[in-house]
Amino acid sequence: MSDIDRQAAQVQAADPRAEMARIAAAASGLTYDPLPGDVVRLAKLCLLDWFGVAIAASRDPIIDTLAAMSAPGLPGTTVLARQERCSLPDALLINGTAGHLLDYDDVHTCIPGHVTVAIAPSVVAVGEALGASGAQMLAAFVAGFEAMCGIAQ
């Protein structure tokens, strides 16, 4: 039995509520300072990939339609690579769609899906709304990534 299979069996045997509480506590307490350098580098690569894909898709007709239907926000949340600013929920939808539209998302072996596109739009939009620093946003991304993979296991 592989280490991953052993870990999965341990998690399945554990109380699911206790495991979720453990994952939530670990994610909510994560800060930038203790992050290892390799984790920071990988997180930056994941975000760079997501930004690149989202920017490449920013002029797709689907994104044009979503932007035209969006509610203006005051002061507004950034829509990547566009002049429009809109409400936070609309920016989440538009930026999330753009980040997945070309289907060049990153993957992780712990989950049958795309991790960054599920996390990055929220981190960027909420981070912008709260005036978070780059380090805070990077830590939030890592916390979300770790939580998503922890839940998947």
Side-chain angles (χ1 to χ4, degrees):
M1 179 181 277
S2 73
D3 287 342
I4 292 173
D5 291 334
R6 257 191 301 285
Q7 288 175 349
Q10 289 171 346
V11 169
Q12 288 173 351
D15 174 13
R17 283 179 264 169
E19 186 60 19
M20 289 300 293
R22 185 195 66 74
I23 291 169
S28 67
L30 195 135
T31 60
Y32 181 84
D33 289 331
L35 292 177
D38 59 336
V39 171
V40 171
R41 279 188 298 282
L42 184 57
K44 288 179 178 179
L45 282 174
C46 289
L47 289 167
L48 179 63
D49 175 75
W50 176 75
F51 275 112
V53 173
I55 290 168
S58 67
R59 292 297 170 191
D60 188 274
I62 292 171
I63 302 304
D64 291 339
T65 299
L66 290 173
M69 294 171 40
S70 68
L74 297 174
T77 304
T78 299
V79 177
L80 294 176
R82 298 181 68 101
Q83 292 185 354
E84 295 97 333
R85 293 180 69 76
C86 61
S87 69
L88 186 116
D90 285 343
L92 289 169
L93 175 65
I94 296 167
N95 292 335
T97 301
H100 186 63
L101 190 62
L102 301 178
D103 203 24
Y104 288 112
D105 311 62
D106 60 353
V107 294
H108 192 283
T109 57
C110 77
I111 187 168
H114 307 292
V115 181
T116 298
V117 74
I119 303 163
S122 297
V123 167
V124 170
V126 173
E128 177 184 16
L130 296 175
S133 69
Q136 290 171 318
M137 291 169 59
L138 195 62
F141 173 76
V142 171
F145 199 105
E146 290 288 324
M148 193 168 172
C149 290
I151 292 166
Q153 292 179 348

